[in-house]
Amino acid sequence: MVRVSRAADNRALDGRRRLRQTRPIYFFRVSSLAKLIFLVLGLLLAYWILKSYRRKVDRKEQPPPAGGEEDMVRCVQCGVHLPRSESLTAGGKYFCGAEHQRLHQKSG
């Protein structure tokens, strides 16, 4: 059995104590304010991601317009634009009402 002197034993013990007493060096030593800023930025990022996801889901759920598109025509007499289904047709010309159709036929 090998006996180590007390002085050598104490030196080894002192070295271990010194290692324990020194604080580890952290790569990121972050203050409380920085942690708060990171937390707020993380919450904003999560909110932004969830909001964009919700918009996508809402867009998919919306039904297409029921009526669809309809051609607009112009009244020959007054120039008002109206849907083709609501106009009166005479000789390939469109009118907004019976009176304008009659006036156009009288004038021309």
Side-chain angles (χ1 to χ4, degrees), residues 16-71:
R16 284 188 228 129
R17 282 185 193 148
R18 271 191 238 125
L19 283 177
R20 267 190 262 144
Q21 289 174 353
T22 60
R23 290 187 170 181
I25 300 172
Y26 292 108
F27 184 74
F28 290 107
R29 225 179 211 177
V30 183
S31 69
S32 296
L33 181 61
K35 289 177 185 177
L36 181 65
I37 291 172
F38 283 129
L39 177 67
V40 169
L41 288 176
L43 291 174
L44 286 174
L45 180 66
Y47 174 76
W48 180 71
I49 290 171
L50 290 173
K51 188 176 176 183
S52 66
Y53 174 74
R54 188 172 180 186
R55 270 195 219 135
K56 279 184 194 177
V57 170
D58 288 346
R59 258 189 253 139
K60 289 178 184 177
E61 290 177 0
Q62 289 178 351
E69 294 182 17
E70 187 175 351
D71 291 336

Side-chain angles (χ1 to χ4, degrees), residues 2 23 31 38 41-42 47 52 66-67 74 80-81 85 90 94 99:
V2 177
R23 290 187 170 181
S31 69
F38 283 129
L41 288 176
Y47 174 76
S52 66
R74 185 170 187 237
V80 171
H81 288 87
S85 63
Y94 299 101
E99 186 174 340

